[in-house]
Amino acid sequence: MKIDKSLLTGSTTMLILKLLEQSDMYGYQMIEELEKRSQNVFTLKAGTLYPILHTLEQEGRIESYTKEIPSKRPRKYYMITKNGRKLLDEKKAEWQFYATAVNQVLGGEGYVGV
Amino acid sequence: MSECNLLVKEFLNITCEEIKAKRVHKQIVNELSDHIEEQTQYYIKQGFDELTATKKALEQMGNPTIVGKELNKAHQPKTEWSIIVLTFTLVIIGGFIQYFVSRANSYNSHAFFRFLIYAPIGLIAFFCAYFFDYTIIKIYSKLLYSALFISTIIGFVFINRINGTYLYVYYSAILFIPIFAGIVYSLREKGYFGIILCGILYGGVAILCLFSVRTIAFLLLSISCLAILTFAINKGYFKCNKRIGLSIIYTPIFLILILSVYYILSAGHRRERFATMFNPENDPMGAGYLSLLIRELVGNSQPFGLSQLKGSLANMKAELILPAYNTDFILTFVFARFGYIFGVIIIALFIVFLARIFTSVLKQKNKFGVLISFSACLAITIQFALYTLSNLGIIATFSVTLPFISYGGLGFITNMLLIGIVLSVYRNSNIIMESL
């Protein structure tokens, strides 16, 4: 099923941080991994990803370093910082709160059990 | 160039056109081309020909103008308004005091006029440092070092000693501090050899200070360089064992300290002079006179207005008894003439200012930015600390500049340069990126 892109925008930062929480990654890898894990629901455009990564780096949520790759140009990796983990927790809590609220409305009368 | 490369290049050009900070272009181009390449390879593996694969990869990137605009937002210059406002407040306070000084005593009637001349020059120096690309200090550190070293020596020929000292060497020493940060940076990853070379280059300037009998410049330079080097070794910039690295610099310092203590204690007259520095009462009419006068003026200062002195100095205005009051003892003067509330306000403002500039250093992410703004902060802080302590009669008296406030063109201009560097590093923190 194709989903409306605006649904993704609000949670991209959270998803990126979640990926980096598990291991250091470079940009392309993040998009690939996101597609794989969401079974192709989240197809993030590279042009959306990099501005977010750069902003998160400015804010000190993530850090970058370059890694030499044989016979290629050095690749830029990102890793999460302590500050970034804190933001991820906040975003997760916010998301859960929101999702519960949406479900309650969608579930309607039957859901709340009246 | 193949058609594929042209397409990629065009995409990157359109993106970069939107990004105002030219310095980040190269880095962004590298990162994005890496991405496009990998994406193209993926599509080729899926069975597409190269041209189609490239087109699909670019399509996956999104609209280049929008991408550029978004990246531009992430790399904006930043302005540290609180530091700018505090700096100018201190400058205005300085101007106000110079105005008062030039009206209070006909001997100093030129003070405010001169301030009106050197203050704009200092402002120009500030804006130059602020909008200038501070990384040139990293690229040309050795050239700048040689230039300053040689011009200081040339000064020995053309400028006369005043009371046996070359006063201007103080300003050379201050300018050397950020240059030293550049040198440390350029010798990073050079191991123990790098540390030793830093020590030798510091030694050269230290000898100039001692030769000029500018002890306070020597002290200022030594503390700053030591702090910069210690910081760099501790952060692992030299890529060597930290303990050995630190002992390379601290062992000779320790030996020199022991030798100087021995030198002072070995002769009676030197011992006495040294003791008087801490106990001015030993020589109330000679070397200790000024310190005692300062203690008298500060100790008897009132919340507002004149200090209430006793004995022969009763009802004397500070400008009639305190020498060099608008250069070396402006804080003592403020305490004695306007009251301690004004004095404490100036000191408090300065402490807030120093806290702000050090906070701006901590926010830095790139190695050179940290090092150079840290060095400039150190130079300002040590001057302030020495000046304040001697002006309150806590330590011996000597000729230092109170940044932004005390009278004197060269001191004002060099300190405006320093704060310009600190703010320039902050301004570029999202633009000059080099991860740790």
Side-chain angles (χ1 to χ4, degrees):
Chain A
M1 183 171 76
K2 272 241 166 211
I3 58 159
D4 183 359
K5 267 189 197 133
S6 63
L7 271 176
L8 183 59
T9 346
S11 54
T12 321
T13 308
M14 175 176 71
L15 295 174
I16 292 173
L17 288 172
K18 181 68 197 168
L19 289 179
L20 289 175
E21 194 196 25
Q22 280 143 0
S23 71
D24 296 1
M25 284 185 190
Y26 58 97
Y28 181 79
Q29 204 183 353
M30 286 181 217
I31 293 181
E32 222 180 19
E33 194 65 28
L34 207 57
E35 275 178 19
K36 210 167 78 191
R37 286 197 206 175
S38 68
Q39 277 137 11
N40 292 329
V41 176
F42 298 148
T43 47
L44 189 59
K45 287 240 188 242
T48 317
L49 173 72
Y50 287 103
I52 295 177
L53 285 176
H54 288 202
T55 312
L56 283 172
E57 193 182 2
Q58 313 295 4
E59 291 168 1
R61 310 290 189 181
I62 58 177
E63 270 173 20
S64 70
Y65 59 93
T66 44
K67 207 165 164 182
E68 301 293 326
I69 308 289
S71 77
K72 271 192 159 184
R73 65 165 71 85
R75 183 171 278 158
K76 199 171 164 197
Y77 275 81
Y78 292 90
M79 61 183 234
I80 195 164
T81 63
K82 218 166 109 190
N83 219 332
R85 286 175 203 275
K86 219 174 89 190
L87 181 67
L88 175 60
D89 288 341
E90 282 167 25
K91 289 261 175 197
K92 270 200 280 197
E94 188 187 276
W95 177 260
Q96 243 121 39
F97 185 69
Y98 175 76
T100 317
V102 170
N103 281 335
Q104 272 170 352
V105 173
L106 289 183
E109 287 167 18
Y111 187 86
V112 278
V114 174
Chain B
M1 203 184 272
S2 72
E3 198 183 337
C4 300
N5 283 342
L6 273 175
L7 279 175
V8 174
K9 213 172 167 217
E10 196 196 333
F11 178 93
L12 293 171
N13 279 344
I14 299 174
T15 307
C16 283
E17 250 169 50
E18 298 296 327
I19 306 169
K20 283 206 194 89
K22 291 220 164 45
R23 299 191 59 100
V24 291
H25 285 187
K26 200 181 148 207
Q27 200 198 349
I28 286 175
V29 164
N30 276 340
E31 196 175 23
L32 294 186
S33 2
D34 188 42
H35 188 105
I36 297 169
E37 237 166 64
E38 195 147 343
Q39 188 77 60
T40 311
Q41 289 306 320
Y42 169 81
Y43 286 127
I44 287 176
K45 267 187 204 150
Q46 299 255 304
F48 293 98
D49 63 280
E50 203 190 341
L51 187 63
T52 320
T54 311
K55 278 183 185 161
K56 278 180 83 74
L58 289 178
E59 204 178 291
Q60 213 285 327
M61 292 298 290
N63 180 327
T65 314
I66 296 174
V67 176
K69 278 193 174 132
E70 287 299 313
L71 283 168
N72 185 44
K73 273 189 217 157
H75 297 281
Q76 291 288 328
K78 291 200 293 181
T79 314
E80 223 306 0
W81 285 108
S82 73
I83 297 178
I84 295 177
V85 169
L86 282 164
T87 308
F88 285 92
T89 311
L90 292 169
V91 170
I92 290 166
I93 291 175
F96 172 78
I97 298 173
Q98 297 309 333
Y99 177 74
F100 184 87
V101 160
S102 57
R103 305 215 46 186
N105 192 334
S106 60
Y107 177 70
N108 272 319
S109 57
H110 61 281
F112 187 63
F113 179 66
R114 291 260 180 91
F115 169 82
L116 289 180
I117 294 173
Y118 70 66
I121 301 176
L123 280 186
I124 294 170
F126 168 80
F127 283 113
C128 285
Y130 185 51
F131 290 110
F132 213 55
D133 177 3
Y134 69 85
T135 52
I136 62 145
I137 302 177
K138 163 174 90 179
I139 301 162
Y140 298 110
S141 62
K142 281 159 197 151
L143 185 74
L144 287 167
Y145 177 92
S146 319
L148 196 54
F149 195 87
I150 292 167
S151 51
T152 306
I153 291 180
I154 292 175
F156 291 153
V157 182
F158 295 102
I159 298 168
N160 290 326
R161 280 183 191 252
I162 299 168
N163 295 330
T165 63
Y166 288 113
L167 288 174
Y168 72 94
V169 173
Y170 178 84
Y171 311 109
S172 305
I174 296 178
L175 290 178
F176 265 121
I177 294 168
I179 295 177
F180 184 76
I183 286 174
V184 169
Y185 187 81
S186 68
L187 290 172
R188 77 195 186 285
E189 291 169 14
K190 292 268 164 30
Y192 304 123
F193 167 76
I195 298 176
I196 294 170
L197 198 55
C198 286
I200 293 172
L201 290 173
Y202 149 76
V205 188
I207 288 171
L208 290 185
C209 293
L210 291 174
F211 174 76
S212 326
V213 203
R214 207 65 171 92
T215 323
I216 209 69
F218 171 76
L219 202 65
L220 178 64
L221 179 83
S222 305
I223 300 174
S224 309
C225 291
L226 189 63
I228 295 167
L229 209 48
T230 308
F231 178 83
I233 295 173
N234 261 328
K235 288 259 171 188
Y237 287 10
F238 285 99
K239 296 253 154 79
C240 64
N241 182 307
K242 290 175 190 171
R243 278 204 193 144
I244 302 178
L246 287 174
S247 58
I248 288 179
I249 52 170
Y250 280 92
T251 318
I253 291 172
F254 195 63
L255 288 176
I256 291 172
L257 270 179
I258 292 179
L259 280 176
S260 0
V261 170
Y262 174 76
Y263 174 77
I264 291 167
L265 295 182
S266 63
H269 66 279
R270 281 199 287 266
R271 204 161 46 223
E272 266 164 38
R273 258 192 75 184
F274 195 69
T276 309
M277 281 176 72
F278 298 96
N279 283 313
E281 292 85 356
N282 286 359
D283 188 8
M285 281 308 164
Y289 172 76
L290 200 50
S291 291
L292 288 178
L293 177 66
I294 287 168
R295 284 185 190 177
E296 196 79 1
L297 285 167
V298 175
N300 292 310
S301 61
Q302 302 299 308
F304 295 101
L306 292 178
S307 264
Q308 297 302 312
L309 298 177
K310 295 172 199 81
S312 60
L313 296 177
N315 298 324
M316 290 276 260
K317 283 180 179 163
E319 58 262 37
L320 300 175
I321 43 178
L322 186 67
Y325 56 86
N326 68 335
T327 53
D328 298 347
F329 302 110
I330 216 159
L331 272 182
T332 315
F333 179 72
V334 169
F335 271 84
R337 198 66 170 76
F338 305 124
Y340 63 72
I341 290 191
F342 285 111
V344 170
I345 288 176
I346 294 177
I347 295 173
L349 266 177
F350 235 105
I351 290 171
V352 174
F353 167 80
L354 295 176
R356 291 302 308 166
I357 59 176
F358 277 104
T359 319
S360 88
V361 175
L362 291 177
K363 284 192 186 143
Q364 278 313 306
K365 283 181 291 263
N366 90 64
K367 266 186 200 172
F368 181 64
V370 170
L371 209 56
I372 189 119
S373 61
F374 177 61
S375 74
C377 291
L378 273 175
I380 295 173
T381 310
I382 298 169
Q383 288 181 83
F384 165 75
L386 290 172
Y387 196 97
T388 308
L389 292 174
S390 83
N391 271 240
L392 298 180
I394 298 167
I395 56 172
T397 58
F398 32 61
S399 177
V400 204
T401 300
L402 180 60
F404 321 120
I405 292 184
S406 69
Y407 175 78
L410 280 173
F412 185 78
I413 294 165
T414 39
N415 279 299
M416 289 305 273
L417 270 176
L418 291 180
I419 194 64
I421 291 175
V422 173
L423 285 165
S424 164
V425 172
Y426 186 88
R427 183 183 141 77
N428 286 302
S429 41
N430 288 346
I431 294 168
I432 300 175
M433 305 277 295
E434 184 241 12
S435 37
L436 290 172

